[in-house]
Amino acid sequence: MTDARPKVLSIFGTRPEAIKLAPVVRQLGATPSIESLVCVTAQHREMLDQVLALFDIGPHFDLDVMRPNQSLADVTARILEGLDGVLRETKPDWVLVQGDTTTAMVGALAAFYHGIHVGHVEAGLRTGNKRHPFPEEINRRIVSVVGDLHFAPTQLARQNLLREGIAPETVFVTGNPVIDALLEVAETPYVWGNGPLADVPRERRIVLVTAHRRENFGQPIRDICSALHRLVECYPDVQIVYPVHLNPNIQGPVREMLGNVPQVTLLPPLDYLPLVHLMKAATLVLTDSGGLQEEAPSLGKPVLVMRETTERPEAVEAGTARLVGTSSERIVSEVSRLLDDAAAYDAMARAVNPYGDGQARFRIVDALLALVNNEHS
């Protein structure tokens, strides 16, 4: 007997996508009236796999496109070719993509080529500068043009879409499902002494650092490392903990400048479970990541963003995050302010996170289900 249920294919390929889509994928799987399928591109192989294991998600298709030193053109072509076959085989009614990765952009484009509807989770983020962040700003704009249903995390993201001519009835403000994932993982038991955090001195004030974006390659990452070195010289009670991205453009200068500094703990990229628990223990977060701007405030942690622009201005407006750029002087000044001024710290730590309440997965699946059922009625 043929399964007449509408079919939704979720496509993702990086760790951030997997974390943010995991609650939605699991909710789709728990919805009897939908046939839920998962395709991973493995744009990031190792970092993706640990998230799949953490959330117990078994993909139906794995394109395994990751190659050493791959260019954007290489990965784009491999994903497009791989998805063409998957879409021909599965013939889904809807494709679901997340965010602004190459996988999201190509997934939406491939679905469009096959006449398949596209739902976009985390829609409407914009910096207004097509080269910052690169290539994410263009990726997410392309998905918005192709998309049929847009799940905006905030009202500001919704307004961005409406200004671009997206039909209002296709845009739903849902919050970001990364908060759903974060709150679940934060309650998952974790033993520090048995894992990668075993050597992190918890008696010190921990500053969690992540920096890996393409626009910070070269002098910016060296300026960041210089700032971190100066900070530990000024604050003997501070421990910098920096999970270092595998990209040689980051590994090289970070290891060179910080590898022998006792108050700096350099770690390999962390699985999501220890990362969340490290975030819980940290005093503050210094990052160029998009996801941490959303996650850390839910744990009461101020976020200093080492970028010139952010597609998440809601965090800055709410007071949970502050743009500090990559200047060594500015980074040292802003971190020092939070370490020295309890009132300034509390103002950021107690601000309300604008990215949701941990219920985004229900809103996304309900909106998708209503539209799917209407199409099949």
Side-chain angles (χ1 to χ4, degrees), residues 7-176:
K7 189 181 299 182
V8 178
L9 176 67
S10 300
I11 300 172
F12 54 94
T14 67
R15 183 173 87 161
E17 287 172 291
I19 292 167
K20 293 178 179 184
L21 271 185
V24 179
V25 167
R26 296 204 305 188
Q27 186 63 23
L28 285 169
T31 304
S33 57
I34 284 179
E35 181 184 357
S36 175
L37 298 175
V38 173
C39 175
V40 298
T41 66
Q43 182 181 334
H44 294 167
R45 180 76 270 172
E46 298 89 348
M47 298 171 76
L48 169 69
D49 287 346
Q50 53 90 10
V51 178
L52 295 175
L54 177 63
F55 290 100
D56 193 25
I57 295 173
H60 300 84
F61 302 91
D62 188 334
L63 303 185
D64 196 25
V65 302
M66 186 175 179
R67 301 290 184 275
N69 302 314
Q70 60 189 351
S71 70
L72 286 173
D74 290 338
V75 70
T76 298
R78 278 198 294 274
I79 294 172
L80 187 59
E81 183 177 11
L83 287 179
D84 188 64
V86 171
L87 295 174
R88 288 183 190 280
E89 178 180 343
T90 58
K91 297 180 174 59
D93 299 281
W94 280 83
V95 156
L96 205 60
V97 298
Q98 192 282 326
D100 51 23
T101 66
T102 301
T103 289
M105 182 271 288
V106 178
L109 193 60
F112 172 72
Y113 287 165
H114 285 261
I116 298 164
H117 295 311
V118 174
H120 186 199
V121 176
E122 197 184 75
L125 277 63
R126 298 290 186 272
T127 64
N129 183 334
K130 68 181 181 181
R131 297 197 178 276
H132 289 275
F134 175 87
E136 289 86 356
E137 180 75 4
I138 289 300
N139 285 344
R140 54 180 166 243
R141 292 195 206 182
I142 291 172
V143 180
S144 294
V145 171
V146 171
D148 300 285
L149 204 53
H150 311 266
F151 303 111
T154 65
Q155 286 290 346
L156 179 59
R158 181 177 189 271
Q159 290 303 315
N160 289 338
L161 293 168
L162 299 187
R163 278 196 298 272
E164 294 172 4
I166 303 297
E169 64 271 17
T170 69
V171 183
F172 295 82
V173 177
T174 60
N176 198 315

Side-chain angles (χ1 to χ4, degrees), residues 20 213 287-295 307 311-312:
K20 293 178 179 184
R213 301 193 77 86
T287 187
D288 65 5
S289 164
L292 290 185
Q293 295 176 53
E294 300 163 340
E295 293 166 289
R307 290 165 59 180
E311 63 276 39
R312 294 167 172 86

Side-chain angles (χ1 to χ4, degrees), residues 351-364:
V352 176
N353 189 350
Y355 293 105
D357 55 4
Q359 304 297 306
R361 64 193 182 280
F362 300 114
R363 300 186 186 102
I364 291 169

